Amino acid sequence: MRLSKSLVPTLREDPSEAEALSHRLMLRAGLVRQLAAGIYVYLPLGQRVIDKINAIIREEMNAIGGQEMTMPVLHPAEIWQRSGRWDGIAEMFKLKDRKGADLCLGMTHEEVVAWLAAREIRSYRDLPQIWYQIQTKERDEARPRSGVLRTREFLMKDSYTLDPDLASLERSYAAH
């Protein structure tokens, strides 16, 4: 696509709503626009930056034996209740479906990984495993601020290792 046809809405002046330097620069360069407190639209140039960073992350994770997967954003309450964290996290977005079942928007995926590992890991011979994803996360931040660094919706790479013993865990940690 020609640059003349691209959406690159740069700004000459510093936006008054931006406190952090990085936030001001991203707004001025036409990378992002703020939809609401802690919620951003990544414009085409911002999306290109994200895609390049994600490619580097995938290359590095795959090089250490990581296996990428996509876990759901919407989680049933039961897995969080079993872990004891359903009532303990104020930043979790909770909702009910049309049948009244409790659900939440994933802010992390330890519970999903534990659920999956309990069903798929059959023996210590299946270990170690490195599972990762790059996904949108949701947190009800009390005071979203600092531009895209502390937001309600953000992209995060999370990695989970399943290790048979402490020595393997330390090797996985060092590899990361």
Side-chain angles (χ1 to χ4, degrees), residues 50-68:
I50 288 170
D51 292 344
K52 289 181 180 195
I53 292 169
N54 287 346
I56 293 167
I57 291 169
R58 285 185 172 100
E59 182 180 333
E60 295 297 325
M61 288 303 300
N62 294 342
I64 64 168
Q67 301 170 81
E68 185 173 10

Side-chain angles (χ1 to χ4, degrees), residues 3 6 13 33 54 61 63 88 132 137 140 150 152:
L3 186 57
S6 298
E13 304 296 323
R33 289 297 182 259
N54 287 346
M61 288 303 300
Y132 77 96
K137 306 287 185 177
D140 190 8
R150 188 172 184 132
R152 293 176 173 209

Side-chain angles (χ1 to χ4, degrees), residues 137-151:
K137 306 287 185 177
E138 312 286 345
R139 290 192 181 146
D140 190 8
E141 286 287 345
R143 291 181 41 212
R145 59 188 182 280
S146 301
V148 299
L149 294 179
R150 188 172 184 132
T151 61

Side-chain angles (χ1 to χ4, degrees), residues 26 30-32 41-54 155:
M26 290 175 77
L31 301 178
V32 299
V41 175
Y42 287 87
L43 301 175
L45 288 181
Q47 185 61 48
R48 288 186 66 185
V49 170
I50 288 170
D51 292 344
K52 289 181 180 195
I53 292 169
N54 287 346
L155 192 62

Side-chain angles (χ1 to χ4, degrees), residues 16-160:
S16 60
E17 73 271 14
E19 297 171 14
L21 175 61
S22 61
H23 187 202
R24 285 196 307 267
L25 293 172
M26 290 175 77
L27 287 167
R28 288 189 63 191
L31 301 178
V32 299
R33 289 297 182 259
Q34 187 169 346
L35 178 62
I39 303 172
Y40 289 85
V41 175
Y42 287 87
L43 301 175
L45 288 181
Q47 185 61 48
R48 288 186 66 185
V49 170
I50 288 170
D51 292 344
K52 289 181 180 195
I53 292 169
N54 287 346
I56 293 167
I57 291 169
R58 285 185 172 100
E59 182 180 333
E60 295 297 325
M61 288 303 300
N62 294 342
I64 64 168
Q67 301 170 81
E68 185 173 10
M69 58 178 60
T70 301
M71 292 177 258
V73 174
L74 197 59
H75 301 179
E78 297 82 39
I79 63 172
W80 287 83
Q81 291 163 341
R82 275 197 299 271
S83 73
R85 299 198 313 164
W86 178 254
D87 294 317
I89 302 176
E91 296 80 19
M92 184 186 298
F93 282 106
K94 296 178 181 176
L95 59 142
K96 291 185 183 289
D97 68 10
R98 68 180 68 208
K99 296 177 184 175
D102 287 319
L103 302 162
C104 69
L105 297 179
M107 54 184 295
T108 186
H109 281 75
E110 286 91 348
E111 281 75 6
V112 176
V113 168
W115 175 90
L116 184 61
R119 282 154 183 76
E120 302 303 329
I121 303 298
R122 307 273 186 247
S123 163
Y124 72 92
R125 288 184 218 96
D126 295 337
L127 302 174
Q129 294 282 319
I130 300 173
W131 298 343
Y132 77 96
Q133 69 173 347
I134 301 171
Q135 189 193 64
T136 300
K137 306 287 185 177
E138 312 286 345
R139 290 192 181 146
D140 190 8
E141 286 287 345
R143 291 181 41 212
R145 59 188 182 280
S146 301
V148 299
L149 294 179
R150 188 172 184 132
T151 61
R152 293 176 173 209
E153 180 176 282
F154 54 95
L155 192 62
M156 183 170 94
K157 187 278 291 178
D158 42 342
S159 180
Y160 303 93

